[in-house]
Amino acid sequence: MSVQPAPQSSEFSAQQGLLREEIALSWRRSMLSGLRPDDTFGSASIEETDRRSRLFDAATPILDRMQDDLAGTRYCVLLADRDARLIDLRVGQHRIQNRIEEDGAIRGRLFTEENTGTNSIATVYETRQPLAVRGEEHFVEALKKYSCYGYPITHPTTRRLEGVIDVTFLSEDDSPLLRPMLTRAVEDVHRRLLEGARSTETALLAAFQETVSRRRGAPVIAIGEDVFFANTAAQQVLESVDHTVLRAMTEGTPGGRQLTKDVTLNSGLAVRTIWSRVTSRGGVVLEFDPLTTPRHRHAAADRQQGRTAPIRTIAGRLSSAREHRFTTLITGDQGTGKSRALTHLAADSPVSWHRTTVLTDVPAAHWLEDLRQSLDTHTGLVAVEDFHLLPPAMARRVGDLLADSHTWWAISSGPLDADAAEHRRILPHCRVQITLASLRSRADEIPQIAREILREIGAADSVRLTTGALDALTRHRWPGNIAELRTILEAAVRQRSSGDITADQLPALSSGPRQELSPLQRAEREAIECELDRSGGNKLAAAKNLGISRTTLYKRMSQLGILG
C-alpha cells in the first residue's frame, strides 16, 4: 500500500529545516507512515502486557528506586518492551500521571513512530540510540508540551533490544541531572538482565545434567534463549543445522507439559524427540529415542535422497495417486508449493497444463474447449491450476467436465471455504485430497526445504547456507510461503555463486531488526493473514470478515509486519 504524507504548509516545512538531523529524519518517517501532527493516539492499539517478562523482572526494582527518587516531582518514568509497547509507568505526582495518560501514555499502548510520531520511546526504538526530544521537536502536537530522555535497553549477552526506558516531564522542568540518572538506571537493568540470564542458565544446566544422568547413553540437549548444551551422544548425531531446527520446533513450549515429535535429523537418522520446558524463560531439555520401524527407515532414506519433510510425507500420497492414477486435489495458501506438488504427482508422465490465470487474456469458451480436448485425448496427467480463481459459474462447468471424465486429472486450489459452493462440488470426485501447510507453520522444516530449492535452481554444490543464515530463515514469517523462500534464495545465489551464504547476504531478511511478537500478536497476525488468503488479498472483504474497519486493518498489517 502506498501512503501519501499529509500536505505540509510552508511554516511546517520551514520548521523541519530547523530540526536536528536525527529529529528531522524521524519526522520524515512519521509523515511517510501517514501520521499527521494533529493526530491523536486513539488508533494506536492497546493490548495486555507481559508482566512476567525478563525485562519487567529486571527493571521493576530499578523503577521502584527511581519512583522514590522522583517523589513529589512532575517527572515520569516509562518502560517500553521490545515491541515499543508501554509496560510500566511511574510518576512523582498523581496529577502528572492523569495528564500524560490523557495525552496517550497508557500501559499497553504501542509507541512506534507510525503511531505516535517522534518521541524518546518511538525514535529510540527505531534508531537503537539514546535520544533527548525536547518540546517542539515532538511530531505530534499533543506531546509538544513535554520533553523526554530515552535510552535503549539491550541484553548484555545477545545484544538484542529488550526495551526502552524513558523519563518524561513538562518542558519547563528540564534538569541536567536527568540524563545521568537515566544512564545509571539502564546500567542497573543491564546488570540484572545478566544476573537473570545466569540464573536461568544455571537452572537449565541442572535440568540437563539430571536428564543426562537418568538417560545414560541417550542423546540429550538443552536449549535456552542464549545457550545450548549437548552431551557426547547428542554431539555424535546432531549437526549445526539440527540445532536451528530444534530451536524453532520448541519455541513457545508451554510450561507443565511434555511434548513429543518424530523428527528426521540432517544425517538421515529418524528419532522421537521428547521435551518439556524447565525454566520460566522458555528453556527446554530434549531427549532422543531412535526410531527403527520400516516406516522411519524409509523416511531416513528419503531424507538422504534430498526430499524435504513436507514432500517426503506427502510424497507417499502423491506416489500412490500416481500409481493408481487417482484424481487429486491439492490445496494450500498462496506460495505453499501447489504447482510443485502437481509436478511431483506427474513425475515422468506428460502433463497438459490448464492455468486459470490466463482467462484474463483467453476467451472462456476457448479455454474450456482446450480442457475438454485434453480430457478426451491426453494420456498423461491433466492439471488445472488455481481452481479457486474461477468464477462460480465457470467452476461449475469445469467441475462437470472433470467429474464426467475418465482421464487422470488433478487440480490445485486455494482453500475452498463453505461459501464457495460451486467450487466445493468437485470435492466428492477427488479420490486424493492433500492440503499443503503454510511455511510459517513448518519452521523446523525450512533448512531442508531451502537446500532442496538450492538444488532445483541449479546452485553449485559449494553453495551452503551458514547456521546464521538458516536461523534467519527459520525466524522469518514467510507471508509469501515457499514462493518467497525461493525468490530470496535465487537472489542470494545470484550474488554469491559459490561458498557460504550468510544471514547478511539474504537482503530481504536483513533490512532491519526483527520485531518480536507476543503470543497475542502472533495469533492476531495469523488471523489477518488467513483472512487475507481467504479473500484473495481483498482488504475490504478481509476487514469486513474480521469485524474491523479497513483503516484499522491497514494499521494492524503495518504494525505486525504483514506485506500487502
Side-chain angles (χ1 to χ4, degrees), residues 112-129:
T112 58
E113 286 183 336
E114 64 186 23
N115 290 307
T116 60
T118 304
N119 60 76
S120 63
I121 292 179
T123 307
V124 168
Y125 171 77
E126 182 71 31
T127 64
R128 274 44 175 178
Q129 297 294 325

Side-chain angles (χ1 to χ4, degrees), residues 13-328:
S13 300
Q15 188 178 6
Q16 270 193 283
L18 299 175
L19 297 173
R20 290 181 286 152
E21 181 180 3
E22 60 267 36
I23 300 297
L25 288 173
S26 174
W27 278 36
R28 177 168 177 76
R29 290 192 297 267
S30 301
M31 286 187 293
L32 289 174
S33 72
L35 195 67
R36 300 172 60 100
D38 58 353
D39 279 347
T40 64
F41 297 163
S43 61
S45 65
I46 299 176
E47 296 181 358
E48 292 186 14
T49 57
D50 184 3
R51 300 179 74 85
R52 299 171 299 172
S53 68
R54 65 181 181 183
L55 173 63
F56 192 84
D57 288 346
T60 293
I62 313 305
L63 297 179
D64 290 343
R65 184 190 71 205
M66 295 181 75
Q67 185 171 22
D68 291 341
D69 292 343
L70 300 175
T73 70
R74 296 194 296 180
Y75 297 112
C76 310
V77 182
L78 291 79
L79 179 68
D81 63 14
R82 63 177 59 175
D83 297 327
R85 193 173 299 281
L86 190 61
I87 62 173
D88 206 352
L89 185 153
R90 306 298 182 90
V91 297
Q93 294 179 354
H94 287 296
R95 283 182 297 174
I96 193 66
Q97 178 172 351
N98 294 336
R99 188 166 183 175
I100 68 169
E101 286 182 346
E102 288 175 1
D103 289 323
I106 299 173
R107 288 181 179 87
R109 172 152 284 160
L110 193 67
F111 267 74
T112 58
E113 286 183 336
E114 64 186 23
N115 290 307
T116 60
T118 304
N119 60 76
S120 63
I121 292 179
T123 307
V124 168
Y125 171 77
E126 182 71 31
T127 64
R128 274 44 175 178
Q129 297 294 325
L131 182 70
V133 181
R134 297 182 175 87
E136 292 296 322
E137 292 181 327
H138 287 91
F139 180 79
V140 175
E141 293 292 336
L143 298 182
K144 290 185 181 293
K145 64 176 75 74
Y146 301 103
S147 291
C148 47
Y149 294 105
Y151 209 109
I153 301 171
T154 55
H155 195 282
T157 302
T158 66
R159 308 310 302 168
R160 288 197 293 261
L161 181 74
E162 293 290 336
V164 177
I165 193 167
D166 162 280
V167 176
T168 293
F169 45 91
L170 295 171
S171 292
E172 60 265 29
D173 293 338
D174 201 349
S175 166
L177 298 178
L178 291 173
R179 190 187 295 270
M181 174 193 289
L182 188 60
T183 302
R184 176 193 166 202
V186 171
E187 290 173 349
D188 289 343
V189 174
H190 284 168
R191 175 181 52 79
R192 286 182 54 81
L193 282 172
L194 185 59
E195 291 172 354
R198 289 171 177 165
S199 174
T200 298
E201 184 177 322
T202 299
L204 185 61
L205 179 59
F208 168 72
Q209 291 173 331
E210 185 277 329
T211 306
V212 169
S213 176
R214 175 170 51 82
R215 295 292 310 274
R216 192 174 302 277
V220 177
I221 65 171
I223 301 175
E225 192 160 17
D226 312 314
V227 296
F228 188 97
F229 304 126
N231 65 352
T232 302
Q235 292 173 12
Q236 292 173 347
V237 298
L238 295 177
E239 301 176 11
S240 59
V241 171
D242 296 319
H243 300 176
T244 300
V245 170
L246 294 169
R247 186 180 290 276
M249 183 180 76
T250 58
E251 191 174 32
T253 296
R257 291 179 57 191
Q258 186 177 76
L259 303 176
T260 63
K261 184 174 182 179
D262 294 349
V263 175
T264 302
L265 302 177
N266 196 52
S267 63
L269 176 66
V271 295
R272 173 153 295 155
T273 310
I274 307 161
W275 77 93
S276 59
R277 197 178 81 186
V278 297
T279 72
S280 60
R281 295 289 173 256
V284 295
V285 173
L286 300 92
E287 313 165 33
F288 300 93
D289 290 330
L291 291 169
T292 56
T293 64
R295 179 171 65 89
H296 288 95
R297 283 198 296 272
H298 292 319
D302 285 348
R303 184 60 166 267
Q304 290 168 337
Q305 293 169 12
R307 295 178 180 172
T308 67
I311 294 299
R312 185 183 67 248
T313 54
I314 291 171
R317 301 181 65 192
L318 293 174
S319 176
S320 175
R322 179 171 61 251
E323 179 182 355
H324 299 287
R325 295 173 68 91
F326 285 152
T327 55
T328 302

Side-chain angles (χ1 to χ4, degrees), residues 317-318 321-322 325-331 338-347 349-356 367 371 374-375 378 380-388 390 398-399 401-403 405-413 426 429-434:
R317 301 181 65 192
L318 293 174
R322 179 171 61 251
R325 295 173 68 91
F326 285 152
T327 55
T328 302
L329 168 67
I330 298 172
T331 60
K338 298 185 291 293
S339 296
R340 203 158 165 250
L342 285 174
T343 302
H344 277 272
L345 171 64
S349 300
V351 183
S352 176
W353 294 97
H354 297 269
R355 297 177 172 88
T356 64
W367 190 91
L371 175 61
S374 292
L375 293 172
H378 190 66
L381 176 69
V382 176
V384 177
E385 283 194 289
D386 294 316
F387 181 70
H388 65 292
L390 292 172
V398 171
L401 283 176
L402 296 173
S405 174
H406 298 291
T407 301
W408 179 33
W409 56 260
I411 60 177
S412 69
S413 175
I426 195 62
H429 303 286
C430 301
R431 289 284 303 274
V432 176
Q433 298 181 20
I434 296 171

